[in-house]
Amino acid sequence: MEASMYHKYYGQMGHAKAPVVDFGNLSYLLLDKYEAELQRMVRSAELWHGPMQGTRLRPGQVYLVPYAVEHYAALVRPLHIWPFPQAHHHHTARLPLHNATLLLADPRLSPYMRLLPSKGMQPAAAHRAAVDCTAICARLGRVCRQQDFWFINTCEVLREHFACERGCSIELGRDVPGYVIEPGLPTSQVCLVNQQQPWLTTCATSEPSTKTLETMRKFSEQYARRTETYFCVDKSVTAVVIKGLAEHKDELGAPLCPCRHYDDKRLEAEQGFWNCPCVPMRERKECHCMLFLTEDNDFRGEDNKITLNEVVEATKGLSGVQG
Ligand code: SF4
């Protein structure tokens, strides 16, 4: 190596001046020995329950700390570790702390404490969009278990159970992963994988598909431009209404106004009076949902733009439909 390169890159490093250290016999790091030792430690460790904050560790003790990646952040401050799992072996990490040893392991992924799906887990397809998994399973005489969503959230596993005729697609939402049988929808016969936060998927949620959400978002922007109306100064109001329209479009096939109560939604959607843009909006620019606001409205914002991300973020865990 040229001297200039050495001084530029290596000469600055601390180890360049540090004395040589003898690390002793490192054969315990050989893969088979290391794995056997980890397995032994996991088996004999004391299972850690409760929060880590203010913890008193017994010197010499090995503690097993199971974590789910979505709750990893709770360990970061008390243990002074990286904000995401690092330096682990198959999702199992050894961490010396106050003369004790912590074994951090993700039970869904660590081979040393593998948590398996419910016995006999059998994914069920949604017969239509915007129907929750509890209802789907009840129709089939089964019970939905939230922890199992984690195990079916890949295209490969979904293909084992469903035809996925139109391939796999990545979607957002608490009702993904899933597979929709009903024809005529953008997501029909597609296996849907939740790339973002599969641990938030619940048995009780039915979300509009991302494509429908995007359709209603674009419609809202275009219609506001055409009628020279504005979105609300509080964009979360706009987001919730757009989501409500998307939920109705998935559920009923039409964007029925989400801000009203109906005795029979399907009948209302067929009649069309309250399908967005509703008759009062078309005739008099009256939108009681505050999606489209005229220039003289005190609550109008400065523009009529909203991104898909803003809609998703503002409505997480919320339904846009009232009544
Ligand atoms: S009040 Fe009319 S225009 Fe406003 S969101 Fe409802 S259906 Fe659409």
Side-chain angles (χ1 to χ4, degrees), residues 241 245 257-259 274-278 281 286-289 291-292:
V241 179
L245 291 170
C257 183
C259 315
W274 287 112
N275 288 346
C276 195
C278 59
M281 180 65 206
E286 283 176 14
C287 172
H288 62 272
C289 290
L291 178 58
F292 306 115

Side-chain angles (χ1 to χ4, degrees), residues 127-193:
H127 52 286
R128 61 181 172 82
V131 58
D132 69 57
C133 293
T134 301
I136 294 164
C137 285
R139 266 177 113 229
L140 301 168
R142 298 188 206 155
V143 176
C144 175
R145 294 193 203 287
Q146 183 173 355
Q147 67 268 27
D148 286 339
F149 286 118
W150 176 269
F151 297 102
I152 64 167
N153 191 43
T154 67
C155 189
E156 292 72 28
V157 175
L158 290 170
R159 279 185 190 280
E160 284 173 22
H161 296 276
F162 307 119
C164 309
E165 295 92 331
R166 294 178 53 226
C168 291
S169 157
I170 291 169
E171 291 270 329
L172 304 175
R174 293 178 182 221
D175 59 348
V176 178
Y179 170 68
V180 179
I181 296 174
E182 184 184 24
L185 296 168
T187 52
S188 299
Q189 301 181 328
V190 180
C191 282
L192 307 174
V193 177

